[in-house]
Amino acid sequence: MEVRGAGRIARAAVTALKRYCDESEFATSEELYRGLLGAGARLKDARPTAVSLPNAINYVLSAAGRGAEKGISLDSLVASIDEACNSFIDSSLRAVQTIGMIGAKRIVDGDTIMTHCNSEAVTTVLTTAHSEGKRFNVIVTETRPKYQGRITASVLAKNGLTVSLIPDSAARVYMRKVDKEIVGADAIASNGAVVNKIGTAQMAVIAHETRTKFYVAAETYKLSPTTMLGELVEIEDRGSLEVVPRKWQESNKKVKVLNPAFDITPPEFIDLIITEQGIFPPQGMVLLMRELYPAPTQKPTDASAGAKRSDLTKARLRRNR
Ligand code: RUB
């Protein structure tokens, strides 16, 4: 939890892989590749719900795998891993900026926007709209139990936006005044369902009830290709001590304190998903996923086709060999 937000988690993991290659000592390229596979597997376990994490790691591992298959030298392998890491990080940062520009077009003067948790994609949409001169109010839910909403409120206020912070339980009271709810995503399933911080799904239900627009802002490396095969996204369960103090728990041993970190918002409660590739209805996610990820049984598209696409698109085409 020192690194929060699915995009930052992905970039932090790729940075860790880069350091692993640069700072460890290996005798051969095979040894480096084997070590990298192990490091990648450990990193993937760190936050199971953020699909950006395995997608980012697979991008680097597949670049390394291609080099190792060709039997390139140790130095060349290190260089190609470095290049893959830098390319992922650059593309990820560019994707967030592009989402900011695309999403800002959806905001108009006088809007009231509600958001939940702390999403870089969402804060970039809001700060971009503000820097374009639009004036609107933002309501941020505090996001128990880790209070990431406070981070969002603080970032937005420092950027000059008008912000209010409310308890999660007050969302329904304020939703009637809200024009758009915008949240981020840790994972997007092929049916357009969005996995995000616990509490997002109930915000979506309330938004639906009050006919408030519900938008998701997310980079396409949060698409979960294995959901096309019916696999479910794993929801991270976190410790009870994030919810109650130890002393309380010790004096209430019979109470089982549960702390799921994420929930799933069904596609019928989502109006639009804003990505760096454009804006889609949730039902369009399966088509985007088919375009960006070949079927897992299929061979990845050849490099000449990939070369015409963005770096991240190439990443997806080469994922998971
Ligand atoms: C953060 C969270 C964010 C998404 C998207 O949860 O749920 O909404 O990760 O963030 P946690 P971003 O604090 O548990 O990581 O847009 O920054 O990728």
Side-chain angles (χ1 to χ4, degrees), residues 18 21 49 65 69 103 113 152-153 155 281 298 320:
K18 191 168 143 62
C21 289
T49 304
E69 262 171 40
I113 314 278
T152 305
V155 166
Q298 215 175 295
N320 227 359

Side-chain angles (χ1 to χ4, degrees), residues 174-239:
Y174 289 98
M175 193 63 87
R176 287 185 197 285
K177 296 185 184 144
V178 172
D179 300 288
K180 288 142 201 165
E181 167 97 25
I182 315 179
V183 297
D186 284 82
I188 301 177
S190 58
N191 68 347
V194 167
V195 182
N196 192 49
K197 179 54 58 191
I198 191 77
T200 303
Q202 66 203 29
M203 303 295 167
V205 172
I206 300 169
H208 189 70
E209 178 205 29
T210 53
R211 294 171 164 264
T212 303
K213 296 277 180 215
F214 192 89
Y215 298 158
V216 176
E219 308 87 298
T220 54
Y221 53 76
K222 292 170 183 169
L223 299 177
S224 170
T226 56
T227 56
M228 281 195 284
L229 302 175
E231 265 188 44
L232 301 177
V233 175
E234 187 183 336
I235 301 295
E236 182 182 355
D237 253 319
R238 299 186 59 84

Side-chain angles (χ1 to χ4, degrees), residues 1 3-9 47 116-122 148 184-186 196-197 217 219 222 262:
M1 286 301 284
V3 181
R4 284 185 289 248
R8 286 195 188 91
I9 288 170
R47 297 295 304 270
H116 184 60
C117 197
N118 179 240
S119 154
E120 191 183 24
V122 174
Q148 290 96 326
D186 284 82
N196 192 49
K197 179 54 58 191
E219 308 87 298
K222 292 170 183 169
F262 300 94

